[in-house]
Amino acid sequence: MSDQSGTFKELPVIGSGPDVRNAGGQDPIIGIDLGTTNSLVAIVENGVPRIIPSREGKNLVPSVVHFNADGSHEIGDAAKGLRARDPKHTVYSAKRLLGRGAADIAPIRHLLALDLEESSTSNVKIRVEGRAYTPIEISAMILRELKASAERDLGRPVEDAVVTVPAYFNDSQRQATRAAGRLAGLNVLRILNEPTAASLAYGLQKKKNGLVAVFDLGGGTFDISILKLHEGIFEVLATNGDTQLGGDDIDHAVAAWIESELRKEDRTASFNGLENRAALNEAAEELKIRLSAESTATLKAFGVTITLTREKLAELTMPVLERTRAPIETAIRDAGLGTSDLSDVVLVGGPTRLSFVRKFVEELFGRAPNFSMNPEEVVALGAAIQADILAGNNKDFLLLDVVPLSLGIETFGGAMSRLIPRNTRIPTMAKERFTTFVEGQTKVAINVFQGERELVAENRRLAEFVLGGIPPLPAGVARIEVTFLVDADGILNVAAKETYSGVEQSIEVKPMYGLTDEEVERMLAAGHAHAESDARARKLIEAKNEARTVLAATEKALPEMRGLLDPKEAAEIENLAREVRQSLDRDDLDRVLGARLALDRGTVHMAELLMSRTLESGLKNKRAADVLKKS
Amino acid sequence: MSSSAFEVFNLKASFKLDERALENAYYEKSRELHPDRVARGDKSALLKSQEKSAELNRAYQTLRDPEQRLEALLRMSGRLKDEKSEEGREAIPMDLAEEFFGLQEAATEDPAIASKKVRAFIDTVARSAGADTAAIRELAARIDWESASTPENEALIGELLSRRKRRAYLLSLADNARKLGVA
């Protein structure tokens, strides 16, 4: 393995590795839980993790972006508050779309109150007012907000971060998350699995050994991880999950029920369309939340009173929860264990607050689950602990994680040749030899897939790459050795070399659902340009408002004061006012500012006269507008 | 070239292994080699750590699984390729093979009756393969893999290989029986 001479290339190419920086540097590394529903940022200080509060002073930042009419946007609580009222300009649950194509999201497509632009070959986009945003851009906006919160709280710039993802996220989704980090100006040192992060936070609290199951039901994803905790080592034995299953689905089940209840009142009613969808989802979420405290909840939706009992909610939720059973059983089996071997079952994610979810888990594992930590904060705290480990401050803890899905290549007849089976410890490496089929062949195409099915067509295509620069040789003589490396982020890297002639290989990668390095760079550049033009637009609006005020004041004062002014001076003021009026028709910031300043100066004398007339002293050298505003 | 799984852990080639000690050695080496330790280091340190860590993980996965461990030992002593040879042909259980062909015929005539028999057959075959596994591991533990070419060891390896051949045949019989259909 030490004779590695090829250059590693990511598939698809997104982001770059960590920057070169001082070992054990003092720059803070933050931990971020980028959630479907809520996001959090945390930091470890002197060995103690804490959540960094948001702009509004809250720990949870709703993963919602609202676009304002002037092109600016809001994140978090402010955006969430506008979701029901203005769904067309509000984006939520972007994480469910991250790194996904049209086919991936088909099962949940009709439930989302989002205007989507679908493509089979690239990431689904979200349309807002004619502009299509990738889920990567939306996620980057949320990350930027968290970064800003951390900088405000810590009082220093923050660049380095650990960002968590569901353990069952595939390569594309991990790549997309890392790209979002880069787009937000973050250097993502590690992509960390959420259940693993949670186990770190629990481990820090308890410092005990044993076999632990982490049941992580988030807003849009479900993970089950089985870990062995041993003297500070957190060893993942197996992981499984469903990246299209979460609290959102409970809301959707309740929304579908509300819809059927409403239809009982009016059989012809239609609840399609963004506004209706958003209103239904909102009502469902509210009922669900209220039922964790009350046994019956009632609200008015579409003019109809809806009553939901806790029993009915449990019944509606059961099909959603049942979907966690198969992944759990597979994970325990893959770990080589039985349910009775587990010493603890840890709950993670907002939906695990619901009493019937806890009951379901208890029945499934035959033991009362552990929810001694806040299930919504534990992942972010764990991410901060991992950040502290990467900073070199915590040498006691070490995470040993696994790759969640098998990686393989297409072989003859469309079969999947598995190179790295699921639950292999990462980092891991596999080598495969390829050769040519035709004399003089200089290129070999290789398709990489991820999944558990026997046929590649049923697995997910991660990338297609072409090995070029093979010297022309008789068929079957060239020996191309390809090394597949899955790094500690669970992301695939590929390197190749031709061993017969020793010729260096070039690898050409076509990203499937992610963004290339170039695209990220372009977006970053466009983002800066965008921010600049946004600021300029705001300044222009402010300058025009100011100019209008001054103009109105002048137009009001001039007829009254004309008798006291020199005719030449009055004419000059009229000229200056005309120039301001004309500047208002153009979007030229400098001209607006210049014309208004000139009018200000030209009306100083008139303002003084006004002042003496109204006997208001102490206001010398003020502009006409100020004086008039006072009177 | 890459080191053998045993070399990575500074262990002598042996099927017998202290699992507890292996696990502790793995944890200790991971603490030293894992990329977490060079997260803020330069790119080349990171790459090196990834390679070392990957090699360690692979070696651990090989050693902790008895089947993979045995294959590594056979590969090291140059005997893994013998699996495809004619050696050990006589080990194939002809009685079970004949029973399978009988089942195949019965399944075409009456699938309902055959289904019950198929299930019983699969159980028998699985039990027999399980006995082979126990025998293979017992033989593997008796072999001195550091000097595999002594006549005594050669004989044991020969026996082990024929048992493996028998087991592989049984497993494929079970697979084929499953394809006949179990209701």
Side-chain angles (χ1 to χ4, degrees):
Chain A
M1 301 240 174
S2 49
D3 61 340
Q4 199 53 61
S5 66
T7 318
F8 279 108
K9 190 117 182 176
E10 287 156 6
L11 285 183
V13 210
I14 289 181
S16 60
D19 287 344
V20 178
R21 44 182 70 242
N22 311 328
Q26 302 88 13
D27 290 338
I29 312 178
I30 51 173
I32 292 177
D33 172 6
L34 179 63
T36 307
T37 317
N38 294 300
S39 296
L40 301 92
V41 55
I43 185 126
V44 169
E45 284 163 333
N46 304 318
V48 183
R50 71 170 172 95
I51 304 288
I52 295 174
S54 71
R55 201 188 289 275
E56 282 105 348
K58 298 208 178 130
N59 285 1
L60 297 181
V61 177
S63 303
V64 184
V65 179
H66 178 267
F67 293 89
N68 299 316
D70 65 2
S72 63
H73 61 257
E74 270 150 291
I75 314 271
D77 284 312
K80 196 186 175 187
L82 293 163
R83 192 168 115 189
R85 201 156 19 104
D86 187 16
K88 278 192 173 141
H89 300 101
T90 314
V91 180
Y92 71 103
S93 290
K95 187 175 175 181
R96 297 196 82 160
L97 308 175
L98 211 50
R100 294 184 164 273
D104 297 319
I105 59 146
I108 57 156
R109 170 82 194 79
H110 62 289
L111 300 167
L112 297 170
L114 294 170
D115 182 10
L116 299 182
E117 186 176 298
E118 297 178 41
S119 156
S120 57
T121 52
S122 65
N123 203 157
V124 172
K125 293 190 179 79
I126 306 139
R127 260 190 303 253
V128 182
E129 281 294 313
R131 173 148 159 31
Y133 295 89
T134 62
I136 294 175
E137 289 169 276
I138 301 292
S139 302
M141 290 172 186
I142 297 163
L143 289 172
R144 208 174 291 129
E145 176 72 20
L146 298 172
K147 177 177 186 270
S149 290
E151 287 174 338
R152 195 169 45 242
D153 182 275
L154 301 172
R156 56 202 290 200
V158 172
E159 271 187 25
D160 294 344
V162 170
V163 181
T164 61
V165 295
Y168 217 54
F169 252 21
N170 65 30
D171 197 89
S172 314
Q173 293 168 303
R174 286 167 195 269
Q175 295 260 19
T177 303
R178 201 161 61 177
R182 277 216 54 213
L183 210 50
L186 287 169
N187 178 33
V188 181
L189 289 177
R190 174 75 79 252
I191 295 287
L192 178 65
N193 292 330
E194 287 159 10
T196 321
S199 77
L200 267 182
Y202 265 94
L204 183 73
Q205 190 195 34
K206 301 215 158 170
K207 285 220 160 85
K208 67 176 192 182
N209 299 333
L211 294 162
V212 176
V214 181
F215 180 98
D216 181 356
L217 187 63
T221 56
F222 168 68
D223 281 331
I224 175 75
S225 285
I226 312 293
L227 288 106
K228 182 174 185 172
L229 273 54
H230 180 84
E231 308 296 329
I233 297 270
F234 295 71
E235 183 186 12
V236 180
L237 301 178
T239 195
N240 212 294
D242 186 336
T243 52
Q244 290 294 19
L245 173 65
D248 268 12
D249 297 291
I250 296 177
D251 293 353
H252 292 149
V254 176
W257 173 81
I258 296 174
E259 198 178 332
S260 71
E261 289 294 294
L262 292 171
R263 254 187 240 285
K264 282 181 191 161
E265 301 285 323
D266 177 3
R267 304 184 63 84
T268 59
S270 163
F271 299 98
N272 293 327
L274 232 56
E275 275 87 358
N276 288 334
R277 259 303 127 212
L280 280 175
N281 289 347
E282 195 88 359
E285 196 189 341
E286 200 190 323
L287 282 175
K288 182 188 77 178
I289 290 170
R290 277 167 48 188
L291 282 176
S292 52
E294 305 154 33
S295 59
T296 305
T298 300
L299 61 72
K300 245 188 155 72
F302 298 87
V304 178
T305 304
I306 304 278
T307 303
L308 182 62
T309 62
R310 205 179 260 180
E311 288 70 37
K312 185 70 192 170
L313 177 63
E315 181 196 319
L316 293 170
T317 308
M318 204 36 84
V320 177
L321 292 180
E322 274 299 328
R323 287 170 58 196
T324 65
R325 193 183 289 271
I328 290 171
E329 285 168 356
T330 307
I332 294 176
R333 197 171 51 240
D334 283 356
L337 302 171
T339 316
S340 57
D341 296 321
L342 299 169
S343 51
D344 214 353
V345 179
V346 168
L347 295 182
V348 181
T352 64
R353 283 184 187 283
L354 299 167
S355 59
F356 53 85
V357 174
R358 290 182 179 176
K359 217 173 108 207
F360 177 85
V361 175
E362 180 165 352
E363 276 165 22
L364 215 120
F365 286 92
R367 70 168 57 245
N370 178 339
F371 43 87
S372 57
M373 288 189 81
N374 184 333
E376 285 169 300
E377 295 182 353
V378 66
V379 170
L381 294 173
I385 296 169
Q386 177 65 24
D388 200 41
I389 294 171
L390 296 184
N393 300 328
N394 182 345
K395 297 251 195 316
D396 297 337
F397 280 14
L398 180 66
L399 271 185
L400 300 170
D401 222 316
V402 298
V403 57
L405 295 153
S406 301
L407 269 165
I409 48 170
E410 181 175 5
T411 57
F412 208 66
M416 168 102 166
S417 163
R418 209 157 287 158
L419 296 177
I420 296 170
R422 69 160 185 260
N423 293 323
T424 298
R425 276 142 221 282
I426 47 173
T428 191
M429 242 182 217
K431 287 186 186 205
E432 190 72 13
R433 283 202 168 80
F434 294 89
T435 189
T436 49
F437 293 105
V438 184
E439 177 162 354
Q441 188 179 338
T442 56
K443 277 183 185 170
V444 175
I446 295 166
N447 285 306
V448 186
F449 291 83
Q450 193 164 33
E452 309 309 319
R453 307 294 292 270
E454 294 304 321
L455 294 175
V456 291
E458 289 163 342
N459 289 323
R460 180 188 191 78
R461 185 202 294 263
L462 282 188
E464 172 185 75
F465 64 95
V466 177
L467 296 176
I470 300 168
L473 292 164
V477 171
R479 292 268 177 278
I480 306 123
E481 189 180 75
V482 179
T483 305
F484 298 85
L485 167 84
V486 179
D487 62 22
D489 294 336
I491 292 175
L492 177 66
N493 302 256
V494 180
K497 63 176 177 175
E498 204 284 299
T499 52
Y500 179 82
S501 64
V503 170
E504 180 84 13
Q505 298 307 291
S506 65
I507 299 184
E508 193 186 304
V509 182
K510 291 175 193 164
M512 294 306 293
Y513 296 98
L515 298 169
T516 61
D517 256 344
E518 292 72 32
E519 281 171 310
V520 171
E521 291 304 331
R522 204 160 47 236
M523 280 184 168
L524 275 172
H528 288 144
H530 223 78
E532 219 166 86
S533 69
D534 282 354
R536 213 173 160 76
R538 246 195 315 280
K539 273 190 196 139
L540 183 68
I541 292 164
E542 284 165 12
K544 282 188 176 180
N545 285 340
E546 183 80 0
R548 278 193 199 99
T549 310
V550 175
L551 187 64
T554 308
E555 282 170 344
K556 190 180 171 218
L558 193 59
E560 293 171 30
M561 306 301 292
R562 197 177 281 275
L564 298 170
L565 293 173
D566 182 274
K568 235 176 96 188
E569 190 184 353
E572 177 61 17
I573 291 175
E574 272 174 348
N575 275 336
L576 293 169
R578 193 181 316 116
E579 173 54 27
V580 170
R581 218 174 291 123
Q582 282 168 356
S583 80
L584 288 173
D585 293 337
R586 306 257 167 73
D587 288 339
D588 183 342
L589 177 63
D590 293 338
R591 186 169 167 192
V592 174
L593 285 173
R596 195 215 73 203
L597 268 171
L599 182 61
D600 271 351
R601 281 192 216 104
T603 53
V604 168
H605 180 235
M606 180 169 76
E608 279 168 3
L609 288 175
L610 251 177
M611 270 186 287
S612 54
R613 204 188 67 166
T614 53
L615 300 175
E616 280 194 27
S617 55
L619 288 171
K620 292 212 164 194
N621 285 323
K622 291 289 172 179
R623 299 171 304 169
D626 294 327
V627 178
L628 284 170
K629 267 186 261 170
K630 299 254 176 211
S631 60
Chain B
M1 280 314 287
S2 62
S3 333
S4 82
F6 293 94
E7 282 164 4
V8 170
F9 281 94
N10 302 318
L11 290 171
K12 280 189 173 166
S14 161
F15 185 74
K16 280 183 286 188
L17 185 129
D18 180 344
E19 285 178 22
R20 196 77 240 170
L22 176 73
E23 187 179 70
N24 284 333
Y26 171 66
Y27 288 158
E28 208 171 296
K29 282 185 179 290
S30 291
R31 281 188 190 278
E32 177 194 332
L33 301 173
H34 196 276
D36 276 9
R37 297 294 176 241
V38 289
R40 282 176 149 181
D42 62 32
K43 192 104 190 168
S44 76
L46 184 68
L47 268 179
K48 200 172 163 189
S49 150
Q50 277 175 339
E51 270 182 47
K52 285 271 172 205
S53 202
E55 187 181 45
L56 175 69
N57 283 334
R58 180 141 290 226
Y60 181 51
Q61 211 136 347
T62 301
L63 293 188
R64 72 205 292 255
D65 176 42
E67 291 297 319
Q68 288 187 46
R69 187 160 75 228
L70 176 56
E71 276 184 20
L73 289 166
L74 287 170
R75 195 176 300 115
M76 283 165 70
S77 46
R79 299 299 296 267
L80 195 62
K81 57 181 186 295
D82 291 352
E83 301 259 297
K84 287 192 181 66
S85 75
E86 286 299 303
E87 194 182 345
R89 259 268 176 262
E90 69 286 352
I92 286 171
M94 292 315 290
D95 50 338
L96 287 171
E98 270 163 31
E99 197 180 333
F100 173 73
F101 296 131
L103 273 178
Q104 226 172 2
E105 245 168 71
T108 51
E109 280 158 27
D110 189 349
I113 295 175
S115 161
K116 220 178 193 173
K117 287 186 178 168
V118 165
R119 207 173 307 144
F121 176 75
I122 291 174
D123 282 349
T124 310
V125 170
R127 255 197 313 277
S128 189
D132 283 336
T133 298
I136 289 164
R137 291 185 188 175
E138 195 254 329
L139 284 164
R142 277 166 59 196
I143 295 164
D144 177 3
W145 294 94
E146 287 284 318
S147 49
S149 54
T150 62
E152 193 192 339
N153 278 322
E154 287 281 1
L156 288 171
I157 290 173
E159 200 183 334
L160 183 146
L161 288 174
S162 86
R163 275 286 196 165
R164 270 171 67 91
K165 183 152 282 178
R166 184 175 187 275
R167 185 180 62 173
Y169 186 80
L170 287 173
L171 293 177
S172 76
L173 268 189
D175 259 1
N176 288 331
R178 254 177 231 115
K179 279 176 203 151
L180 287 180
V182 181

